[in-house]
């Protein structure tokens, strides 16, 4: 009986997903948005890991590893889990949205803004980025400030804060896709991200003996 109910829920989820679509076109499947988010996480993990330079300050290296293994890798695992689960059940979809909303996005913003912009280590990070001898990302910071080292060191923490906006927008868009995907499964009907709107079952009071 449980298997029949689960099969029925899977069919409903598949029918809802067929009617829904991604952002770009009516033929774009909703699952593609999750696959894009997974692909972005894998690309980001590979690119950042490949860019590690052990001439960097130790604090910067530790931060990068914390970001990769504390934010990016768990995110990729969550997306792979939900995608591989398909329509079998609805609760993994809800867990993904909860993870993105409560952990990934705020965690990334706190790590990025807090460390690079506001932490006691932001100054040494800026010194490394602005030193042309380090050739950090083809000396983009040095060029941005026209080879004015002191000005570069002073302003880099403030420049880096808005620099997190593009990645944040991609992360926010992944929440949109994950939320729509969650809504397609009937097991999530009447459920919010963290709360449920389903009323508790009411029972008749016991009669006095």
């Amino acid at each position: 009986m449980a298997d029949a109910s689960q099969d029925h829920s899977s069919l409903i989820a598949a029918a809802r997903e067929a009617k829904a679509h991604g952002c770009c076109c009516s033929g774009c499947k909703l699952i593609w948005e999750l696959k894009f988010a997974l692909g972005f996480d894998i690309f980001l993990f590979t690119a950042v890991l490949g860019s590690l330079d052990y001439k960097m300050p130790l604090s910067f290296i530790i931060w990068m590893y914390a970001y990769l293994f504390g934010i990016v890798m768990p995110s990729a695992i969550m997306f792979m889990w939900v995608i591989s689960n398909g329509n079998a059940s609805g609760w993994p979809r809800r867990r993904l949205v909860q993870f993105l909303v409560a952990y990934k996005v705020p965690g990334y913003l706190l790590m990025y803004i807090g460390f690079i912009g506001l932490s006691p280590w932001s100054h040494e990070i800026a010194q490394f980025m602005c030193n042309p001898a380090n050739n950090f990302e083809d000396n983009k910071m040095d060029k941005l400030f026209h080879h004015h080292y002191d000005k570069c060191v002073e302003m880099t923490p403030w420049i880096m804060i808005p620099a997190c906006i593009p990645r944040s927008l991609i992360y926010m868009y992944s929440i949109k896709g994950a939320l729509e995907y969650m809504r397609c499964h009937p097991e999530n009907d009447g459920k919010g991200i963290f709360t449920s709107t389903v009323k508790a079952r009411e029972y008749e009071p016991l009669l006095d003996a």
Side-chain angles (χ1 to χ4, degrees):
M1 194 72 174
D3 290 341
S5 176
Q6 187 176 24
D7 289 343
H8 181 63
S9 294
S10 297
L11 290 173
I12 293 174
R16 289 178 178 178
E17 289 166 28
K19 293 179 181 179
H21 59 81
C23 72
C24 303
C25 64
S26 58
C28 297
K29 296 180 179 179
L30 193 57
I31 192 69
W32 292 357
E33 295 186 356
L34 273 68
K35 290 180 178 179
F36 170 80
L38 170 61
F40 184 73
D41 279 338
I42 294 173
F43 165 77
L44 200 60
F45 187 92
T46 305
V48 174
L49 194 63
S51 70
L52 277 173
D53 183 348
Y54 290 94
K55 294 184 297 184
M56 293 175 174
L58 180 61
S59 59
F60 200 15
I61 295 173
I62 292 173
W63 179 87
M64 283 191 164
Y65 276 118
Y67 170 59
L68 288 177
F69 291 95
I71 301 289
V72 181
M73 180 178 281
S75 173
I77 291 171
M78 288 293 290
F79 277 110
M80 282 191 287
W81 174 45
V82 171
I83 292 169
S84 63
N85 183 69
N87 294 327
S89 53
W91 67 270
R93 304 182 184 203
R94 192 171 183 229
R95 292 292 180 269
L96 173 63
V97 178
Q98 291 170 345
F99 168 82
L100 295 175
V101 171
Y103 181 79
K104 181 181 181 180
V105 173
Y108 166 68
L109 291 174
L110 285 172
M111 285 191 69
Y112 196 100
I113 297 174
F115 179 76
I116 297 181
L118 305 174
S119 78
W121 299 280
S122 61
H123 185 71
E124 69 175 2
I125 301 302
Q127 288 179 318
F128 175 81
M129 291 180 174
C130 294
N131 188 342
N134 295 324
N135 195 32
F136 176 74
E137 296 185 359
D138 197 29
N139 283 331
K140 68 176 185 180
M141 301 306 296
D142 181 53
K143 294 173 183 176
L144 179 64
F145 290 97
H146 305 289
H147 312 291
H148 194 301
Y149 177 77
D150 291 336
K151 186 177 180 180
C152 179
V153 170
E154 179 186 355
M155 295 303 299
T156 288
W158 303 107
I159 292 291
M160 296 304 290
I161 290 176
C164 72
I165 292 175
R167 196 177 304 176
S168 300
L169 291 176
I170 293 174
Y171 286 167
M172 294 299 291
Y173 185 76
S174 70
I175 293 178
K176 173 261 179 193
L179 183 58
E180 289 188 20
Y181 191 64
M182 166 191 150
R183 296 285 184 224
C184 285
H185 204 287
E187 288 181 11
N188 295 319
D189 289 351
K191 295 179 180 178
I193 298 174
F194 299 103
T195 59
S196 176
T197 57
V198 178
K199 294 182 179 179
R201 182 180 297 175
E202 296 180 359
Y203 294 91
E204 292 293 333
L206 294 174
L207 296 176
D208 294 334

